[in-house]
Amino acid sequence: MTNPAEILPDATKGVQNIYKAIAQAGAPGATLELVHLRASQINGCSPCVFGGIKSALKNGETDERLHQVAAWRDSDLFTASERAALELAEAATRLADRPGAVTDEIWAAAAEHFDERQLSGIVMMIALTNMFNRINTTVRTPAGATW
């Protein structure tokens, strides 16, 4: 199936507005790239993993860090704020894995590093990534596809 964003152009306009709001929220771009990549890895969305890596590299991320995102807990390459954002991304992406997936502790750890506006941007990036992951896996978008 053709990607729904191509069939429903008004949806694309809405998504572009959400991206604009996320960018204006003030969370570091590298952090947004990392949470996008981690959520996409969890969901097995090959086009989003491919695109996320490509975008992160274009924005200055290193191969070494990107290779360790899937095992970020065991890596010393991520800052405390990035670790908090990655943990939030995992919890928010794995909602069905356990009740109360985003615990008070996970939220508090993220709130230590980001203000409410930045957290809003991170949460929106996680949610938007999960939406794209679901669309792409449903319609079997191949890795490397461009829109």
Side-chain angles (χ1 to χ4, degrees), residues 72-86:
W72 64 268
R73 283 183 176 84
D74 299 322
S75 173
D76 61 357
L77 297 180
F78 302 100
T79 67
S81 62
E82 290 168 338
R83 296 171 80 74
L86 286 164

Side-chain angles (χ1 to χ4, degrees), residues 8 52 56 62 68 73 76 82 86 90 99 112 124 131 142 146:
L8 305 171
T62 66
Q68 293 191 33
R73 283 183 176 84
D76 61 357
E82 290 168 338
L86 286 164
E90 285 191 4
E112 285 180 29
M124 291 298 294
M131 180 188 82
T146 58

Side-chain angles (χ1 to χ4, degrees), residues 105-116:
E105 292 78 20
I106 291 171
W107 187 259
E112 285 180 29
H113 302 282
F114 303 101
D115 64 27
E116 190 172 30

Side-chain angles (χ1 to χ4, degrees), residues 1-2 13 15 51 57 69 71-72 78 80 84 87 97 119 133 136-137 143:
M1 175 179 172
T2 304
K13 291 175 194 171
V15 167
L57 287 169
V69 170
W72 64 268
F78 302 100
E87 186 167 24
D97 289 353
L119 277 171
N133 294 165
N136 287 326
T137 56

Side-chain angles (χ1 to χ4, degrees), residues 2-129:
T2 304
N3 190 296
E6 294 178 44
I7 295 171
L8 305 171
D10 285 342
T12 301
K13 291 175 194 171
V15 167
Q16 289 169 339
N17 285 332
I18 293 170
Y19 270 129
K20 183 178 176 184
I22 290 169
Q24 293 173 346
T31 301
L32 295 173
E33 297 281 1
L34 293 172
V35 299
H36 168 78
L37 179 56
R38 186 64 191 125
S40 297
Q41 289 172 334
I42 290 167
N43 288 324
C45 181
S46 62
C48 288
V49 169
F50 178 88
I53 289 172
K54 191 173 180 181
S55 177
L57 287 169
K58 189 165 86 171
N59 288 299
E61 193 55 82
T62 66
D63 283 325
E64 185 178 17
R65 281 173 37 103
L66 293 173
H67 287 296
Q68 293 191 33
V69 170
W72 64 268
R73 283 183 176 84
D74 299 322
S75 173
D76 61 357
L77 297 180
F78 302 100
T79 67
S81 62
E82 290 168 338
R83 296 171 80 74
L86 286 164
E87 186 167 24
L88 180 60
E90 285 191 4
T93 298
R94 295 183 168 165
L95 293 176
D97 289 353
R98 65 179 187 265
V102 181
T103 65
D104 290 344
E105 292 78 20
I106 291 171
W107 187 259
E112 285 180 29
H113 302 282
F114 303 101
D115 64 27
E116 190 172 30
R117 186 170 178 83
Q118 293 168 323
L119 277 171
S120 294
I122 292 168
V123 169
M124 291 298 294
M125 177 58 102
I126 295 165
L128 192 58
T129 297

